[in-house]
Amino acid sequence: MEFRRTREPAQRDRELMLMLGGAGFFQALVAAHELGLFRYLAAHPGMSQAALAEGLGLPPASLRVLLLACCAMKLVERTQDGEYRNLEWVSAAFAGERPSFTTVVEGFDRLLYQPFSRLTESLRRGTNLGLDCYPGPGNTLYERLAAHPPLEAIFHAWMSNLSSSGLPERLTGALHDRTHVLDVGGGDGTNAVLLAKAHPGLKVTILDLPSICERARARAAAEGLDGRISTHPCDIRTDPFPTGADAILFSRIFNIYSEEQNRGFVRRSADSLPPGGLLLVFPSMVCDDDETGPLSAAFLSLYFLCLATGEGRVYPPSSYEEWFREAGFSSLECTVDAGDDAVFIGRK
Ligand SMILES: C[S@@+](CC[C@H](N)C(=O)[O-])C[C@H]1O[C@@H](n2cnc3c(N)ncnc32)[C@H](O)[C@@H]1O
């Protein structure tokens, strides 16, 4: 048979397709993770389609579709001989003893995607209607999760994974001469453990919701640090901070809440710190000064509005400067890294 084929040069608008197909592509990423494709390829790089289908126990036609998606998304590559392998970062992210990305994907999949279907209405009304997906008491995701223990565990595994790669050196180092730090919204204690290990003379008090404080106490005890890490169950928005600390840390808290609430956090910290006391704020992310990017700040801002609290967003460094100045701090140092993670350290 003679087969003549002509093909015009492709005009592919990758960005447009990623926007339109984002939900489907994300589910392909989840499926590849859940079906074990990335783990299998990490252990057996250079597999043929047939061997992969057999190894994963998938119908060959399904595997073909999944591989097309993963190759198009540049997660997996196919050699000229028709063998498949993960891109290098994918193996580190999804396979091995401490995969760095699985908790993030599980958090997005189980917690964020369904609520995002309420985004238009949330924007219209200026509130977090996505929260309707998780019935229970309270008007923030953090309070609602207490009624959904498996989801709470997924959320804190995601947060803990973010922190387990460490806190910024600038932040940890600033606590070298401190005796007692309040870790406001400290979560399951991952940061407290890192700080207590870095500074043997430091006590840490975690302020968080009651169910999270329980997790943090278990974590501290498991590390043998329960003598130096304590918890203080409270609502950080309204309850007074414990006295006697010479440093206060807010890690991944300020983007959650409104400008007014953040202004209040800084003012209340200034009131409760002694002269020379340090306020450390690790948002972690800041947006560009003109609020036009980056993409990660845009996504997080949508998440805070539509689901987490209905009031937060990612702020530019200039907002922090204003809040610290208003509260009367004598100095403020701001360090932003290449990934837009920022640390603000104010001295009273
Ligand atoms: C995004 S997580 C950050 C956890 C940790 N600081 C970190 O850096 O990974 C926010 C934490 O703040 C807590 N939180 C949020 N709102 C709170 C409130 N109103 N009162 C007490 N804790 C709150 C949540 O329970 C959660 O542990």
Side-chain angles (χ1 to χ4, degrees):
M1 176 189 84
E2 187 188 352
F3 173 52
R4 258 192 252 122
R5 166 163 146 171
T6 58
R7 180 168 185 176
E8 297 206 5
Q11 286 180 355
R12 291 177 175 162
D13 193 334
R14 190 175 164 81
E15 278 201 11
L16 181 64
M17 197 55 232
L18 283 172
M19 268 190 273
L20 276 175
F25 289 129
F26 176 70
Q27 290 307 326
L29 174 71
V30 172
H33 162 50
E34 289 183 347
L35 295 170
L37 174 67
F38 301 135
R39 278 192 307 281
Y40 200 81
L41 280 178
H44 308 95
M47 297 289 274
S48 68
Q49 270 194 16
L52 265 174
E54 195 183 325
L56 293 174
L58 280 181
S62 302
L63 180 76
R64 250 173 130 149
V65 170
L66 183 61
L67 284 172
L68 171 56
C70 289
C71 289
M73 287 194 285
K74 301 194 191 306
L75 298 168
V76 169
E77 61 190 2
R78 181 184 150 129
T79 66
Q80 285 188 340
D81 301 330
E83 293 173 342
Y84 292 86
R85 59 184 72 241
N86 289 332
L87 265 75
E88 208 174 302
W89 76 267
V90 173
S91 289
F94 288 95
E97 260 181 39
R98 293 179 63 86
S100 57
F101 210 52
T102 52
T103 57
V104 181
V105 170
E106 285 156 13
F108 273 50
D109 181 38
R110 301 285 304 282
L111 288 166
L112 307 196
Y113 262 72
Q114 205 188 347
F116 260 82
S117 65
R118 306 292 309 279
L119 180 61
T120 305
E121 203 49 28
S122 296
L123 287 166
R124 184 173 285 133
R125 297 214 227 149
T127 188
N128 51 341
L129 294 179
L131 205 54
D132 293 349
C133 295
Y134 307 120
N139 55 10
T140 68
L141 176 65
Y142 313 102
E143 295 158 293
R144 292 279 175 100
L145 285 178
H148 303 268
L151 294 181
E152 191 180 70
I154 286 174
F155 178 83
H156 285 280
W158 169 18
M159 288 303 120
S160 172
N161 192 344
L162 289 182
S163 295
S164 63
S165 51
L167 286 162
E169 179 49 42
R170 184 65 203 98
L171 188 158
T172 308
L175 291 168
H176 74 280
D177 59 352
R178 303 286 122 176
T179 58
H180 185 187
V181 60
L182 304 182
D183 184 2
V184 184
D188 74 353
T190 305
N191 289 344
V193 166
L194 289 172
L195 294 175
K197 285 185 175 170
H199 302 296
L202 184 69
K203 280 194 306 178
V204 187
T205 301
I206 295 171
L207 282 63
D208 211 299
L209 298 167
S211 62
I212 311 306
C213 283
E214 255 174 59
R215 284 175 189 275
R217 275 195 298 277
R219 181 81 199 266
E223 298 278 351
L225 287 167
D226 38 340
R228 289 172 49 215
I229 298 177
S230 59
T231 60
H232 182 83
C234 64
D235 186 331
I236 59 172
R237 291 169 297 189
T238 45
D239 292 335
F241 296 153
T243 52
D246 52 3
I248 299 180
L249 166 66
F250 288 80
S251 169
R252 302 195 178 94
I253 303 297
F254 272 48
N255 292 332
I256 294 175
Y257 285 116
S258 69
E259 288 201 59
E260 243 350 277
Q261 185 65 61
N262 290 339
R263 197 171 264 123
F265 283 145
V266 179
R267 197 178 48 238
R268 286 164 58 210
S269 300
D271 290 345
S272 72
L273 282 168
L278 293 186
L279 172 57
L280 305 101
V281 179
F282 174 48
S284 59
M285 163 155 295
V286 286
C287 67
D288 297 340
D289 278 317
D290 62 359
E291 302 192 22
T292 55
L295 273 178
S296 46
F299 185 85
L300 265 184
S301 296
L302 295 169
Y303 154 71
F304 289 120
L305 179 89
C306 173
L307 175 61
T309 56
E311 60 178 75
R313 66 173 195 274
V314 177
Y315 299 94
S318 53
S319 296
Y320 292 85
E321 191 191 341
E322 186 187 312
W323 302 330
F324 276 76
R325 191 184 300 284
E326 277 173 13
F329 279 85
S330 64
S331 68
L332 174 64
E333 180 197 303
C334 162
T335 318
V336 186
D337 74 10
D340 296 297
D341 273 358
V343 177
F344 298 89
I345 303 178
R347 185 177 291 270
K348 181 169 166 182

